[in-house]
Amino acid sequence: MTTFMLSDTTAGKISAQFTHLRHQMGAPAIGMVLTLVVVCEERHQYDALRAATEAAREHPSRIIVVINREIEEAIRLDAELRIGESTPGEVVVLRLYGELTQHADSVVSPLLLPDTPVVVWWPGAAPDVPSKDAIGALAQRRITDAKGFDDGGVKSLVIRAKGYAKGDTDLAWARLTPWRSLLAAAFDQPVGKVRKGTVAGVAGHPSAPLLAAWLSERLGAPIKVVDSEGPGLTSVRLQVGDGELVVERTDARLATLSRPGQPDRNVALARRHTSELLAEELRRLDSDEIYEAAVKRFARTYKG
């Protein structure tokens, strides 16, 4: 991998340096399928860039990391470019100083790959309305992570719902994919009408109310959220017919599925790394209507 540092530079010089490095290494820009813009604080950049790079092994990308630094300093743009065999695509880490922090979109725009989708990801704090953010407006997909908010993220989901626009999503929703798949499969055989149910998770876990809202929306039954010792989501209990359908996660890899009149069985329900969640979201670039319905239903019933 080749790393190249540019201090007090411009977007034009960065783009020219990418072209030079590609020609030098014989690595043309073909094969990259999207631009992934990661907007984060300095404290999040290592983990965020690692997750983005791992996700890019499935979705070769130009990864642009945007870090806003001290606004009180003189205007300056520093960049770190990475390209090579260990990097599936291209990476540029941008550090913006001074008033440039208020105009990050003007730096990012010239660096977007032409004629390819743009995805923006905020690993930590995100704007209240991502689609109206200057960088968010450049993207077809906007990914937030309620779990990355300092308040635990539940309130941030309400804000996301109020400012929702087509193309928005949240990694709190991606974390539910294995749970939703397992619960959907549990209804392949008739188990009776669901009367009510609970979703248990550690207090403040943003995925728990989302899962409850999705179940309520799909089953037409009241589903409550209850606290557990965690970690994360621990169980779903649905009262059906003359019994109870239960999914209970016993460790980080397995869960137990119980249905009326059938023996319990162990099923895979592993917790996933952020890179896997991000890769899942990059597989679809259209709007997720099911997420939209779930997050809006949660916001309507939230009483926090």
Side-chain angles (χ1 to χ4, degrees), residues 40-111:
C40 65
E41 299 177 33
E42 191 72 64
R43 60 183 173 138
H44 294 143
Q45 71 91 13
Y46 177 83
D47 289 337
L49 181 54
R50 180 176 179 179
T53 302
E54 291 177 359
R57 299 190 187 285
E58 181 178 335
H59 310 276
S61 316
R62 172 175 285 182
I63 301 170
I64 303 173
V65 181
V66 180
I67 303 171
N68 287 324
R69 298 298 299 267
E70 294 76 12
I71 193 172
E72 297 83 4
E73 292 199 16
I75 294 175
R76 190 173 88 248
L77 171 63
D78 294 340
E80 178 183 341
L81 284 64
R82 304 176 188 175
I83 186 172
E85 293 182 359
S86 63
T87 302
E90 300 172 340
V91 174
V92 57
V93 180
L94 305 174
R95 290 181 171 85
L96 286 66
Y97 296 82
E99 293 182 10
L100 197 59
T101 60
Q102 307 299 309
H103 306 282
D105 56 312
S106 65
V107 178
V108 171
S109 294
L111 299 176

Side-chain angles (χ1 to χ4, degrees), residues 173 209-210 213-214 217 289-299:
W173 179 247
L210 266 185
W214 174 74
E217 186 81 13
E289 290 82 6
I290 300 176
Y291 164 73
E292 177 184 0
V295 75
K296 287 184 175 180
R297 183 184 182 96
F298 161 65

Side-chain angles (χ1 to χ4, degrees), residues 11-174:
K13 291 179 180 178
I14 295 169
S15 184
Q17 188 62 42
F18 263 136
T19 302
H20 172 72
L21 291 174
R22 283 199 304 267
H23 289 167
Q24 188 180 54
M25 300 183 64
I30 60 173
M32 288 188 285
V33 298
L34 58 87
T35 302
L36 175 60
V37 183
V38 184
V39 184
C40 65
E41 299 177 33
E42 191 72 64
R43 60 183 173 138
H44 294 143
Q45 71 91 13
Y46 177 83
D47 289 337
L49 181 54
R50 180 176 179 179
T53 302
E54 291 177 359
R57 299 190 187 285
E58 181 178 335
H59 310 276
S61 316
R62 172 175 285 182
I63 301 170
I64 303 173
V65 181
V66 180
I67 303 171
N68 287 324
R69 298 298 299 267
E70 294 76 12
I71 193 172
E72 297 83 4
E73 292 199 16
I75 294 175
R76 190 173 88 248
L77 171 63
D78 294 340
E80 178 183 341
L81 284 64
R82 304 176 188 175
I83 186 172
E85 293 182 359
S86 63
T87 302
E90 300 172 340
V91 174
V92 57
V93 180
L94 305 174
R95 290 181 171 85
L96 286 66
Y97 296 82
E99 293 182 10
L100 197 59
T101 60
Q102 307 299 309
H103 306 282
D105 56 312
S106 65
V107 178
V108 171
S109 294
L111 299 176
L112 302 177
L113 291 174
D115 304 320
T116 59
V118 177
V119 179
V120 179
W121 173 37
W122 290 269
D128 289 350
V129 185
S131 63
K132 293 186 178 179
D133 176 77
I135 293 181
L138 301 172
Q140 287 76 37
R141 287 278 278 177
R142 294 164 296 275
I143 304 171
T144 53
D145 190 355
K147 196 175 179 181
F149 280 67
D150 293 336
D151 66 358
V154 175
K155 291 182 180 178
S156 75
L157 284 178
V158 179
I159 296 172
R160 297 288 91 72
K162 292 179 178 178
Y164 178 85
K166 300 294 184 183
D168 289 355
T169 192
D170 196 282
L171 292 189
W173 179 247

